[in-house]
Amino acid sequence: MIDIQRLVKKFDDFTALGPLGFTFDQERILTVIGPSGCGKSTLLRLLSGLEAPTQGRIRLDGETISGPNPLISVAFQEPRLMPWLTVAQNVELAVWDRPDAERKEAVQAALVKVSLTQFADALPKQLSGGMAQRVGLARALVGSPRLLLLDEPFSALDPLTRVRMQDHLLEIVGDDGPNVLLITHDIDEAIVLSDRIIVLDGPPAQIRRDLVVDLPKPRKRSSREFQEIKELLLADLLPERIGALEEAA
Amino acid sequence: MSELILKLVRPLAAPAWPYALAHRAAAIVRPLIFPALILAVWQGLGSFSLIDPVLLPTPTKVLGALYEMVISGYLNPHLAISFQRVLLGFAAGSAVAIVIGALTGYSTWWRSIIDPTIHAIRTIPGLAWIPMFILWLGIDEGSKVVLIAKASFFPTYLNFMSGIARADRKLIEVGQVYRLRGVRLITKVLLPHSLPFLFVGLRQSMGVAWLVVVAAELMGASSGIGYVLLDGEMTGRAQIVMACMIVFALCGKTTDLIIARIAQRVLSWQDTVEKE
Ligand SMILES: Nc1ncnc2c1ncn2[C@@H]1O[C@H](COP(=O)(O)OP(=O)(O)OP(=O)(O)O)[C@@H](O)[C@H]1O
Ligand SMILES: [Mg+2]
């Protein structure tokens, strides 16, 4: 589905990303993890068409992405709702080009998915942080995208809401939902959700590890396999820690 | 034990509402104390003939003159014509400001073409235009309305343009992701975002319009509150001048309140602390 080849992104003389390449097809949820500032958001912005690559290309089903695409949608780190529109109107924004009846139905269905139907007519200022984030998710889902890009969507939420949202996401993705490319700093979140984890190094962003996670879902955080993957990822992300651990042992 | 607590709590909890009421009343009265004091001193100075009443008529005399002008119907046509000038000038000036501001706010290309010129024109003192406007448009309505329109153009233009130009990049990106362009991007994102700025501009423009109508009517007019004021001066009746000052203040406050109320309605989505 997604085919990234020799992708490079420069901001003036500063190379933020690349050269980097991978393909993404079967996995329901692919998570990208890496240290702060390594170029994760840059990768997501390139995929969403908000930024143009300096070199290389991204293809979706064989076609080069050259700008925002109806098959790809984004939920950002912040909800980014229009404060002057109601919840339903905010969601509707993503499907403005559909016929009236179809649009209303899609909005209703998306609000059901994030359990916010009673708040359809509320203004963003009346929502809690978690609710606003769910509206952002509904807006990303309403157009039935093939690929859903999520940039640390749960990082601003309290730990319990975060776990609830992770369960929610697994439900939404299910078997017939969109494929998800998720960016996160949270290693546990990555292991709970992902079918594949890509660890980035950078800047410039480069693939350090590409790991398939084929544990059955739902996953138990206390299982041995889970902990093993966690140690592996921690070692990737905090290489200086390995030395300290060995000294301690 | 629990009864004891109830007994202790009740007398404290019960009188809460008269306290709240008293608190409210105090909040209303407090800002009035100082002006009341000034008025009392002023009245006293006049009543005991400590100040020449020709120079500073007492508050009662000013109010009497105002009452007289209102009751006799003398003020009505003047009030109407002043209002007409202000509203026409304000409407024309801010309408042009909205159109041009939307253009220069949205398009950096148009901004680079038009905006520097507007700023250059703005540095010319407002009153310096009066002779030219009179030369071009004659001494009657046209020149006055245009003078007011020109003055009320700038605040609305500057605020509205920067509101559109400084739209939140993060929200614009949302628009881009969902392929909103041109008119749809403007109406769904840019315009609502800039409405708070627009209303700030409109209120300032309305204030400026009332400032300028005085100047315009003092320059040469046979009607309007400014004319009545000037007439009061010519005939040595300071109470008329001061009554006109009060009328101007009331007019300015009224129109400002109206715009503020509309803004409150339109901007109810804003997540800000309600202010009085
Ligand atoms: N518009 C830009 N102009 C210049 N440099 C940029 C721009 N956007 C990002 N960068 C740089 O590119 C690098 C990668 O940024 P990016 O936002 O992709 O990091 P990130 O991995 O998402 O970080 P975080 O986890 O903190 O969100 C950073 O060093 C940043 O300074
Ligand atoms: Mg980021």
Side-chain angles (χ1 to χ4, degrees):
Chain A
M1 176 172 68
I2 288 282
D3 179 16
I4 299 174
Q5 284 177 9
R6 291 188 301 282
L7 189 66
V8 177
K9 178 64 186 179
K10 291 187 182 172
F11 296 105
D12 301 320
D13 289 337
F14 175 76
T15 309
L17 179 139
L20 178 151
F22 63 89
T23 58
F24 171 31
D25 195 10
Q26 304 303 326
E27 307 86 353
R28 306 296 299 145
I29 301 182
L30 165 67
T31 295
V32 175
I33 195 164
S36 183
C38 74
K40 302 182 296 294
S41 296
T42 305
L43 174 62
L44 182 127
R45 294 171 61 78
L46 288 162
L47 280 164
S48 66
L50 284 172
E51 303 267 8
T54 311
Q55 287 165 33
R57 62 172 153 195
I58 304 172
R59 279 188 289 203
L60 170 67
D61 296 334
E63 270 190 57
T64 302
I65 291 176
S66 60
N69 186 308
L71 296 175
I72 302 178
S73 73
V74 189
F76 297 92
Q77 184 166 354
E78 328 78 31
R80 298 201 186 186
L81 305 179
M82 309 290 160
W84 46 86
L85 299 179
T86 64
V87 165
Q89 288 168 334
N90 264 292
V91 175
E92 219 179 307
L93 212 56
V95 281
W96 58 271
D97 49 357
R98 309 267 174 93
D100 265 4
E102 189 189 328
R103 197 170 65 226
K104 296 271 180 278
E105 206 170 296
V107 170
Q108 180 64 24
L111 288 178
V112 168
K113 274 189 200 152
V114 297
S115 336
L116 278 177
T117 40
Q118 303 105 297
F119 291 90
D121 297 320
L123 283 168
K125 70 173 179 180
Q126 299 165 299
L127 305 177
S128 72
M131 286 156 77
Q133 202 66 40
R134 264 142 68 199
V135 178
L137 196 56
R139 183 177 60 193
L141 288 168
V142 68
S144 320
R146 292 272 318 271
L147 177 62
L148 179 59
L149 305 173
L150 303 174
D151 193 351
E152 303 182 34
F154 312 138
S155 62
L157 305 178
D158 69 89
L160 281 182
T161 312
R162 186 187 304 191
V163 171
R164 206 170 290 141
M165 292 288 286
Q166 289 164 356
D167 292 346
H168 236 80
L169 182 66
L170 284 175
E171 248 168 60
I172 287 166
V173 169
D175 294 326
D176 55 353
N179 291 57
V180 173
L181 188 143
L182 171 78
I183 289 175
T184 183
H185 278 290
D186 183 338
I187 297 180
D188 281 16
E189 179 169 284
I191 307 172
V192 166
L193 296 177
S194 321
D195 304 301
R196 177 178 166 198
I197 298 174
I198 289 184
V199 183
L200 289 186
D201 246 353
Q206 251 145 10
I207 295 179
R208 180 183 177 110
R209 184 186 295 277
D210 191 339
L211 180 74
V212 173
V213 184
D214 53 7
L215 307 176
K217 292 182 192 177
R219 293 176 181 159
K220 250 185 119 135
R221 288 168 199 247
S222 57
S223 72
R224 195 173 50 82
E225 294 91 338
F226 193 104
Q227 293 301 327
E228 275 171 10
I229 297 175
K230 189 167 173 179
E231 281 300 329
L232 193 69
L233 294 177
L234 267 175
D236 280 345
L237 293 166
L238 299 166
E240 67 276 10
R241 204 166 153 269
I242 299 176
L245 280 178
E246 276 167 1
E247 255 171 50
Chain B
M1 181 68 194
S2 67
E3 257 171 55
L4 182 66
I5 290 178
L6 273 180
K7 267 183 199 150
L8 284 173
V9 168
R10 268 229 188 99
L12 282 178
W17 69 265
Y19 281 134
L21 212 65
H23 201 75
R24 265 232 184 124
I28 295 171
V29 168
R30 214 176 302 126
L32 298 176
I33 295 174
F34 191 53
L37 208 66
I38 294 180
L39 281 176
V41 171
W42 174 7
Q43 181 72 36
L45 288 176
S47 303
F48 296 108
S49 307
L50 295 171
I51 283 189
D52 185 352
V54 175
L55 293 183
L56 187 66
T58 58
T60 45
K61 201 152 175 221
V62 172
L63 283 181
L66 182 58
Y67 181 75
E68 182 60 34
M69 285 198 293
V70 173
I71 287 298
S72 66
Y74 171 69
L75 197 63
N76 292 349
H78 294 294
L79 194 59
I81 190 76
S82 285
F83 253 102
Q84 183 185 316
R85 287 167 186 152
V86 164
L87 293 184
L88 277 178
F90 168 79
S94 47
V96 174
I98 288 171
V99 173
I100 300 185
L103 190 65
T104 55
Y106 182 61
S107 146
T108 45
W109 191 82
W110 277 107
R111 193 181 316 157
S112 65
I113 298 268
I114 300 177
D115 197 51
T117 311
I118 289 177
H119 280 272
I121 292 174
R122 197 166 70 97
T123 58
I124 301 172
L127 298 183
W129 285 95
I130 293 179
M132 293 322 291
F133 284 157
I134 291 179
L135 191 65
W136 293 334
L137 299 160
I139 189 100
D140 40 60
E141 290 311 295
S143 60
K144 293 186 181 62
V145 170
V146 169
L147 192 69
I148 296 168
K150 185 205 69 78
S152 41
F153 168 84
F154 293 106
T156 298
Y157 170 78
L158 294 174
N159 282 288
F160 188 51
M161 185 205 82
S162 69
I164 292 215
R166 274 193 255 140
D168 191 346
R169 181 186 57 80
K170 293 185 166 178
L171 294 186
I172 293 193
E173 277 182 2
V174 171
Q176 284 175 333
V177 166
Y178 299 112
R179 301 167 312 286
L180 298 176
R181 277 185 218 95
V183 175
R184 198 162 265 108
L185 185 67
I186 291 178
T187 55
K188 292 279 181 197
V189 183
L190 299 179
L191 202 62
H193 173 272
S194 58
L195 276 184
F197 297 85
L198 175 63
F199 276 105
V200 169
L202 288 177
R203 285 177 75 173
Q204 288 177 3
S205 284
M206 185 57 96
V208 166
W210 282 106
L211 287 183
V212 173
V213 79
V214 182
E217 289 176 350
L218 289 180
M219 289 311 287
S222 51
S223 61
I225 306 295
Y227 162 77
V228 177
L229 186 149
L230 195 64
D231 189 51
E233 187 206 333
M234 297 295 193
T235 55
R237 290 174 297 165
Q239 68 272 27
I240 299 280
V241 175
M242 298 194 78
C244 288
M245 289 164 70
I246 294 176
V247 172
F248 273 126
L250 291 177
C251 291
K253 187 70 194 168
T254 308
T255 47
D256 185 59
L257 261 178
I258 291 172
I259 300 180
R261 277 291 148 79
I262 296 174
Q264 214 174 31
R265 278 275 172 84
V266 176
L267 303 178
S268 59
W269 51 264
Q270 276 189 310
D271 194 2
T272 48
V273 184
E274 300 282 326
K275 286 193 210 85
E276 302 273 305

